[in-house]
Amino acid sequence: LAKTTQPISMDSYEGQEVNITCSHNNIATNDYITWYQQFPSQGPRFIIQGYKTKVTNEVASLFIPADRKSSTLSLPRVSLSDTAVYYCLVGDKGYSTLTFGKGTMLLVSP
Amino acid sequence: KAGVTQTPRYLIKTRGQQVTLSCSPISGHRSVSWYQQTPGQGLQFLFEYFSETQRNKGNFPGRFSGRQFSNSRSEMNVSTLELGDSALYLCASSLGASGARQYEQYFGPGTRLTVT
């Protein structure tokens, strides 16, 4: 299983762009990279998923370099409600199993 | 479309008892996975069911078991409860894996189990 490493915590202010980088050196050819967000006492929520280059949706962008050994989740203009734990996951080939790391606790201040 | 529902939301049990948690996936989803979340260990995968068959299992003792019914609803059972089983148990549903692509999983609100 591909292991992921991401910062334990990050601080930001409202309106700023936040970039959270995750490393996954032993990612497999068929693995996808997925990010989830979790608020306290709630289940994680899917944010974005990608395989290579760049993916953008209405809430975030995901940048994946050519070697795919890392990825960066970009949250534009964060607000207080973006305070949460963000998990970077690398998909197990062929299955829906998710392997969660420790995640990054993002604290957004006014 | 209704989301993933889990019952009960909160549960208090005594050490040595057993407990059954229930999960109803999103309509049309055939895969249900269970996770345990604790402050110390974080989110850990328990098992996954697809079309009533356990397809994958995490590193948990045999006291943890589950099943899936023909309507995709799933239950997990923990027997001989230990204090360390106190956790948030999360259920997630997805359409189901096909080939290499990892399908998006939708999580329920969880069941908070406290063992005293």
Side-chain angles (χ1 to χ4, degrees):
Chain A
L1 296 175
K3 180 182 176 180
T4 60
T5 303
Q6 51 183 123
I8 295 174
S9 64
M10 293 183 69
D11 295 321
S12 182
Y13 293 97
E14 280 189 295
Q16 288 189 332
E17 176 184 77
V18 171
N19 295 309
I20 306 175
T21 297
C22 175
S23 65
H24 27 79
N25 292 321
N26 60 338
I27 186 171
T29 302
N30 292 332
D31 284 345
Y32 279 72
I33 299 154
T34 311
W35 286 80
Y36 279 77
Q37 173 194 56
Q38 186 179 26
F39 299 111
S41 297
Q42 293 186 26
R45 183 176 74 100
F46 174 92
I47 301 176
I48 196 166
Q49 182 180 83
Y51 184 80
K52 63 180 179 180
T53 63
K54 176 184 175 182
V55 179
T56 298
N57 62 22
E58 62 277 7
V59 298
S61 294
L62 178 60
F63 299 91
I64 306 169
D67 66 6
R68 303 198 332 121
K69 293 185 183 299
S70 67
S71 59
T72 298
L73 173 73
S74 181
L75 304 172
R77 297 178 299 282
V78 294
S79 65
L80 297 178
S81 62
D82 291 317
T83 293
V85 178
Y86 292 82
Y87 295 96
C88 163
L89 298 96
V90 175
D92 294 324
K93 179 180 178 180
Y95 292 97
S96 297
T97 303
L98 298 179
T99 302
F100 287 85
K102 298 297 184 183
T104 297
M105 174 64 219
L106 172 65
L107 176 61
V108 180
S109 301
Chain B
K1 188 183 270 191
V4 177
T5 58
Q6 293 187 244
T7 56
R9 292 293 312 278
Y10 302 91
L11 203 51
I12 300 175
K13 288 286 188 179
T14 303
R15 205 167 35 172
Q17 289 185 316
Q18 76 164 13
V19 66
T20 299
L21 311 181
S22 180
C23 171
S24 293
I26 292 172
S27 177
H29 284 192
R30 297 169 64 190
S31 171
V32 173
S33 298
W34 289 88
Y35 297 83
Q36 180 196 64
Q37 185 170 31
T38 60
Q41 299 298 320
L43 266 161
Q44 293 185 288
F45 169 74
L46 280 158
F47 29 66
E48 182 211 3
Y49 286 87
F50 182 81
S51 294
E52 302 180 67
T53 301
Q54 186 180 88
R55 189 160 59 177
N56 214 357
K57 190 176 190 302
N59 188 26
F60 277 81
R63 300 185 297 106
F64 292 82
S65 63
R67 59 177 176 169
Q68 186 181 34
F69 302 95
S70 58
N71 61 358
S72 293
R73 189 177 70 86
S74 177
E75 289 181 347
M76 68 162 281
N77 183 278
V78 187
S79 62
T80 319
L81 284 166
E82 300 177 0
L83 296 178
D85 296 333
S86 294
L88 180 66
Y89 290 87
L90 292 158
C91 163
S93 78
S94 67
L95 286 170
S98 175
R101 182 163 182 103
Q102 183 186 62
Y103 280 82
E104 176 180 345
Q105 291 204 8
Y106 296 82
F107 284 80
T111 293
R112 173 73 64 183
L113 171 65
T114 301
V115 182
T116 62

